Amino acid sequence: MDVKRLARLAMLTAAALIIFIVELQIPNPFPIPGIKLGLANIVTVYAVYRYRAAEVAMLVAVRITLGSVFSGNVMALLYSACGSLFCLAGMLLLRRAIDEKHLWLSSVCGALLHNTGQMAAALLVTQTPSLLLYFPFLAVSGSLAGLFTGLCAQLILPRLRGKF
């Protein structure tokens, strides 16, 4: 990887971190804990369609690690890592089947996979099967958030062509 490409990835990572920190300051309008828009994922969805798998994995790893440190919630690192692993693996596979004109669909699938990974981590940590009752709420909210972030990334993708 050349220096220019690394610098672009660093800028995208910084943008995702800034979006993440700003989103933390917005009060959660939903009565269900853990539900959020995940606006930093706009950068991830964009990167999935513009960069190689290893580069996107690096971007996501740095973002979730620094995000958990900056937010002061290091325990969230486990949940974010599991969710991101599921999401990234799924989206990288889907990018072969879903073109850029429909990447919002890839984002919705990624959001559902992210929720699945987080639920798997929560079940492993807490050993509480009743947590599965929470999954339908996460799936619906995750799908809506994935649709929003995917549409945003789909609008941004052609505008940044050749710039990032």
Side-chain angles (χ1 to χ4, degrees):
M1 175 180 344
D2 64 347
V3 174
K4 193 173 185 178
R5 193 165 180 91
L6 183 61
R8 287 179 178 153
L9 283 167
M11 287 179 17
L12 287 172
T13 305
L17 273 169
I18 291 167
I19 294 168
F20 174 79
I21 297 299
V22 168
E23 187 177 5
L24 283 177
Q25 305 308 311
I26 301 169
N28 187 356
F30 306 104
I32 302 169
I35 292 177
K36 63 180 195 165
L37 279 175
L39 297 175
N41 291 321
I42 295 169
V43 175
T44 304
V45 174
Y46 168 81
V48 163
Y49 279 83
R50 280 288 169 252
Y51 290 92
R52 288 180 239 138
E55 294 167 337
V56 181
M58 181 176 58
L59 183 150
V60 170
V62 171
R63 179 179 61 90
I64 64 170
T65 303
L66 291 178
S68 68
V69 170
F70 292 163
S71 68
N73 191 358
V74 180
M75 186 57 192
L77 180 62
L78 173 67
Y79 298 106
S80 294
C82 288
S84 295
L85 181 66
F86 277 54
C87 174
L88 191 57
M91 286 182 59
L92 288 170
L93 289 172
L94 284 172
R95 78 175 175 187
R96 294 181 179 159
I98 298 173
D99 64 352
E100 292 178 7
K101 294 178 182 172
H102 300 95
L103 71 83
W104 61 269
L105 183 57
S106 177
S107 180
V108 170
C109 293
L112 286 169
L113 288 168
H114 184 85
N115 290 136
T116 303
Q118 285 183 317
M119 185 57 66
L123 288 170
L124 286 172
V125 169
T126 65
Q127 299 290 311
T128 309
S130 62
L131 280 176
L132 287 173
L133 296 172
Y134 185 52
F135 188 72
F137 298 105
L138 283 179
V140 169
S141 66
S143 295
L144 293 173
L147 175 63
F148 179 75
T149 57
L151 288 172
C152 289
Q154 191 165 325
L155 289 171
I156 291 169
L157 195 68
R159 288 172 172 76
L160 293 180
R161 192 176 311 279
K163 297 177 182 169
F164 271 95

